Coordinates of all heavy atoms in Angstrom, one line a residue:
D116 N 20.1 -27.4 -36.4 CA 18.6 -27.4 -36.5 C 18.1 -26.2 -35.8 O 18.2 -26.2 -34.5 CB 18.1 -28.8 -35.9 CG 16.7 -28.9 -36.1 OD1 15.9 -27.9 -36.2 OD2 16.2 -30.1 -36.2
P241 N 65.5 -23.2 -16.8 CA 65.3 -24.0 -15.6 C 64.3 -25.1 -15.8 O 63.4 -25.0 -16.7 CB 64.6 -23.0 -14.7 CG 64.0 -21.9 -15.6 CD 64.9 -21.9 -16.8
A242 N 64.4 -26.2 -15.1 CA 63.5 -27.3 -15.3 C 62.1 -27.0 -14.7 O 62.0 -26.1 -13.8 CB 64.1 -28.6 -14.5

Side-chain angles (χ1 to χ4, degrees):
D116 188 328

